[in-house]
Amino acid sequence: MIDRARLAALMSAEQDRFAAAHPRSAAAYGRAEHLFGRVPMTWMNKKAGGFPIYLESARGNRVRDIDGHDYVDFALGDTGAMAGHSPEPVVAAIRRRVEELGGLTTMLPTEDAEWVGAELTRRFGMDVWSFSLTATDANRWAIRLVRAITGRPKILVHSYCYHGSVDESLIVVGPDGEGTSRPGNVGSPVDVTHTSRVAEFNDVERLERQLAHGDVAAVLMEPAMTNIGIVLPDPGYLQAVREATRRHGSLLIVDETHTFSAGPGGMTRRDRLDPDVLVIGKAIAGGIPIGAYGLSGDLAARVLARTDLDLVDMGGVGGTLAGNPLSIAAARATLEHVLTDEAFTGMIDTATVFADGVERLIAEHELPWAINQLGARAEYRFATPYPRNGTEAAASADGELEDYLHLYLANRGILLTPFHNMALMCPTTSVADVQRHHEVFAQALATLPR
Ligand SMILES: Cc1ncc(COP(=O)(O)O)c(C=O)c1O
């Protein structure tokens, strides 16, 4: 229904506007000859404007680029900055560790770690915790533990899930209904069907059939998919997965790295989930690198009882800088003072204003799109009704349209997460910020050629 030739012309005009407004970013990108793909990390080439905006500074939900433009930031580092950029209590904790105390990496525990563990237990209910520097690593180590304990080789994930660069997770349901490597996967160690099984989200029957093979150590899942739009679980789905894993002797790893947006204890607390392992990362240290996994008391006891498993030296779980004093201090400050229970109430209310407004605008413009909200995050998708599984969600992608909307918004001071149409609220995101988004979004929709 969108006239693609006219959309391409509009896009080209937005790119010209972007280039004219960002000469310093363009020059920095042009000079970056010693970076792989010209960027510090290759995914930073996901940019609708032809080159990335270079960061000057960021505070709260505001970002300034090196060309002097200010943005209302709804990307928030794709959740890494859900606490807002450089929140004062986190800055103070970092300053204290760096300037007053010293000791950034010592291989020694700090007393803050037990405080953080206890707070994570209060929020998520898991009994004991271990730290990493990324959610990816937390997932990898969790996978090793569940394999060791069950003696089973495979991990079951949902089609088009994302859990970081975890080899086992890069599998999708192919056109024939069987598992196959996710398109574009880079350098898998073995055929992914040797390590993994896959089911569509919200399809208990298929999940149960896969589990019935008896070789699945654990289901690794987000309780709502958040990396291919926000695909919400049907009523009863999460309970059905839990029961199916128990029936088939598989464990359940819930990855709350993004679904933490649902509340202070993520979906696990909100929906009373009961996983064996819970993985989290990104937001919990206010932007300082961290990941963590929590184990049920029962699973922890079973792992610790296995004297053949080397958990202390070279056995395959651990990173030298994991649990370092800086990231633990930042996690304590974030959880104690920033991403508090009270803060979540405000963030979720603001996200509701965001989602309601976008829904109204979509309806006014008679577009066949839909928006889902998960606590403090919301995301619209170019399909209605909203897709119910990863394959449907992947099929509703529209790169041209997405790039145009992202660039139109960026040119007028609004940042969405570059990978999809996700908007996240931090404690300082205001209703006025959301209204500003709606104003620009409405203008963007009015330009769509049909
Ligand atoms: C659900 C989920 N798990 C894990 C990760 C990996 O996080 P990191 O890149 O910080 O390792 C992501 C990243 O987007 C994620 O969305």
Side-chain angles (χ1 to χ4, degrees), residues 316-368:
V317 284
T320 314
L321 274 69
N324 71 75
L326 186 65
S327 57
I328 297 292
R332 177 171 184 162
T334 305
L335 296 172
E336 192 169 7
H337 301 297
V338 189
L339 289 178
T340 57
D341 293 17
E342 194 187 17
F344 269 97
T345 306
M347 289 152 66
I348 293 169
D349 286 350
T350 312
T352 304
V353 177
F354 184 96
D356 289 351
V358 168
E359 190 169 37
R360 177 176 45 78
L361 291 169
I362 288 172
E364 272 173 29
H365 289 267
E366 298 179 346
L367 289 157

Side-chain angles (χ1 to χ4, degrees), residues 7-19 21-22 46-53 71 380 399-418 421 440 444:
L7 183 67
L10 287 174
M11 182 67 180
S12 165
E14 288 299 323
Q15 279 174 330
D16 291 348
R17 178 177 173 147
F18 181 82
H22 296 91
K46 178 85 179 145
K47 53 198 172 13
F51 55 88
I53 290 165
Y71 302 86
Y380 56 89
E400 287 171 0
L401 197 48
E402 188 169 299
D403 280 354
Y404 173 68
L405 291 171
H406 281 234
L407 192 57
Y408 190 98
L409 291 170
N411 277 338
R412 290 152 188 87
I414 308 275
L415 294 181
L416 288 192
T417 193
N421 305 311
V440 178

Side-chain angles (χ1 to χ4, degrees), residues 78 134-137 139 162-164 222 226-227 255 257-258 282:
D78 193 15
T134 64
T136 303
D137 264 348
N139 275 319
Y162 186 72
H163 297 282
E222 289 189 284
T226 66
N227 287 289
D255 183 346
T257 303
H258 279 180
K282 294 202 181 186

Side-chain angles (χ1 to χ4, degrees), residues 62-93:
R62 292 294 201 276
V63 163
R64 176 168 294 176
D65 70 21
I66 62 171
D67 288 289
H69 304 292
D70 290 317
Y71 302 86
V72 179
D73 184 14
F74 289 101
L76 295 172
D78 193 15
T79 312
M82 189 168 77
H85 297 292
S86 299
E88 196 42 54
V90 178
V91 171

